Amino acid sequence: MKTKCLIIGSGPAGYTAAIYAGRANLSPIEYVGPQMGGQLTQTTIVENFPGYPQGVDANQMMMEIREQAERFGTEIRDGEIVNIDFSSRPYKATTDDNTVIEADSIIIATGAKAKYLGLPDEEKYNGMGVSACATCDGFFYRKKVTAVIGGGDTACEDALYLSGLCKKVYLVVRKNYLRASEIMQQRVRDAENIEILFEHNATGLYGENGVEGMHVVKRKGEPDEEHYDVAIDGFFLAIGHKPATDIFKDSLALDEMGYIKTVGNTQQVCDKSGNILPGVFAAGDVCDPIYRQAIVAAGTGCKAALEAEKYLQTI
């Protein structure tokens, strides 16, 4: 089986790449991967994506973008790409049912997943008070009480962002110190409505129709260990993300966190030796450890498709 353009992943980046590739008559094939629609579908209402003044259900939005991609000729398939041979062109991708696809160009949009504590309650209250994106969902907690889990720069940034919206923000830190940069630490300390809970671990959540509070333990394992509850309305994870790049770790240039490195202002990708792989591009959260927003992912998906189209004109 042969295609001009293979798109791996189906979040905002993958679907947008499919729209542009389809409109360019590339007849792309897109594999949705293990989570159709990407991690955005783990939230509920999206209010910060242009074109939806009243907000939109995340799953509905992704289905509409998918339909738009299909309208322009993208063949969208269930399944997952499990291996790619970049040693010769056309590139050869193997699916989870052992189908081999030869592709002149490849757009990688496999995304990233937020890291969770592993508490059963995180899944129970997902979309009902539990979130891994403060800038996505913080707006729903105006004048309410929230908790941010983590002690690094991201956690401090999220706590500061929420402090501008919420009545109170608890920053739950496992260690007895913050790992964030000194300037971020100072900003958190200066925020009157942020309370840092050092040497605390969240052990669970409770609530009838959503999160109403969290169970915490202070100084876990110490003689003065203490268990108590904290009333909150929202529980935000800020302990990092894991990009879906396991199948590329031996073939592509990744940064120290596992994100795909792109070349300059392009979406081009290099091999492990730093040589550009012709016709291979990355888009979305798989190559973005900073912004992690649907609109940014969609923009890079557009860029990747335009670059793929330009590349294909040269072969």
Side-chain angles (χ1 to χ4, degrees):
M1 184 175 295
K2 181 89 181 289
T3 182
K4 291 180 181 178
C5 181
L6 174 64
I7 300 169
I8 309 171
S10 58
Y15 281 152
T16 302
I19 291 170
Y20 276 80
R23 292 185 76 249
N25 292 323
L26 301 184
S27 300
I29 294 174
E30 179 176 16
Y31 273 81
V32 299
Q35 186 175 15
M36 185 177 69
Q39 63 176 326
L40 191 71
T41 59
Q42 296 299 297
T43 187
T44 51
I45 302 299
V46 177
E47 291 193 324
N48 57 359
F49 199 93
Y52 297 96
Q54 303 304 318
V56 62
D57 177 83
N59 285 277
Q60 176 191 338
M61 185 178 82
M62 296 315 301
M63 285 303 300
E64 290 175 351
I65 301 176
R66 173 184 173 134
E67 290 171 7
Q68 192 173 359
E70 290 178 315
R71 175 191 165 201
F72 292 116
T74 300
E75 182 183 340
I76 299 179
R77 299 179 177 179
D78 293 331
E80 190 173 356
I81 301 296
V82 296
N83 184 63
I84 302 179
D85 181 359
F86 292 108
S87 63
S88 61
R89 288 179 277 169
Y91 303 113
K92 294 179 179 61
T94 304
T95 70
D96 52 2
D97 64 359
N98 292 318
T99 299
V100 176
I101 301 171
E102 294 186 347
D104 292 321
S105 67
I106 295 176
I107 296 174
I108 301 167
T110 49
K113 286 187 177 181
K115 295 179 181 178
Y116 286 78
L117 297 175
L119 305 175
D121 290 337
E122 289 172 318
E123 186 173 346
K124 176 181 177 181
Y125 293 104
N126 187 31
M128 298 192 301
V130 172
S131 172
C133 183
T135 53
C136 304
D137 298 326
F139 189 74
F140 299 111
Y141 298 90
R142 288 168 296 170
K143 299 181 181 180
K144 295 185 178 182
V145 179
T146 57
V148 175
I149 310 301
D153 278 320
T154 299
C156 287
E157 288 170 4
D158 285 359
L160 286 165
Y161 175 80
L162 291 169
S163 72
L165 298 167
C166 302
K167 179 171 64 177
K168 185 178 180 66
V169 179
Y170 292 100
L171 183 58
V172 183
V173 185
R174 183 167 51 92
K175 303 285 188 180
N176 62 355
Y177 59 89
L178 291 170
R179 294 181 290 102
S181 58
E182 186 57 43
I183 189 169
M184 291 302 300
Q185 292 187 42
Q186 192 58 50
R187 288 172 181 168
V188 166
R189 294 189 191 103
D190 291 343
E192 293 182 357
N193 61 341
I194 296 178
E195 181 179 344
I196 306 175
L197 301 179
F198 286 115
E199 296 185 275
H200 278 67
N201 288 273
T203 58
L205 300 166
Y206 62 89
E208 289 295 324
N209 298 310
V211 171
E212 295 176 6
M214 62 178 173
H215 307 299
V216 297
V217 55
K218 181 180 180 181
R219 291 180 55 78
K220 183 179 180 181
E222 300 298 324
D224 57 348
E225 177 180 295
E226 179 184 357
H227 293 257
Y228 64 99
D229 293 342
V230 180
I232 59 170
D233 303 293
F235 184 83
F236 289 85
L237 283 303
I239 55 177
H241 285 72
K242 185 182 187 304
T245 54
D246 286 349
I247 69 169
F248 307 116
K249 62 184 179 182
D250 296 324
S251 54
L252 301 183
L254 309 177
D255 70 11
E256 63 277 4
M257 295 183 290
Y259 289 87
I260 295 176
K261 293 181 180 180
T262 53
V263 180
N265 291 322
T266 76
Q267 303 306 127
Q268 289 182 302
V269 169
C270 292
D271 63 18
K272 296 284 286 187
S273 300
N275 302 308
I276 291 177
L277 282 168
V280 182
F281 309 91
D285 286 9
V286 75
C287 57
D288 177 16
I290 300 173
Y291 299 105
R292 298 193 297 270
Q293 298 295 305
I295 188 64
V296 177
T300 57
C302 165
K303 286 176 61 180
L306 292 174
E307 290 171 18
E309 178 189 6
K310 185 176 180 179
Y311 164 75
L312 290 168
Q313 291 172 354
T314 68
I315 64 173

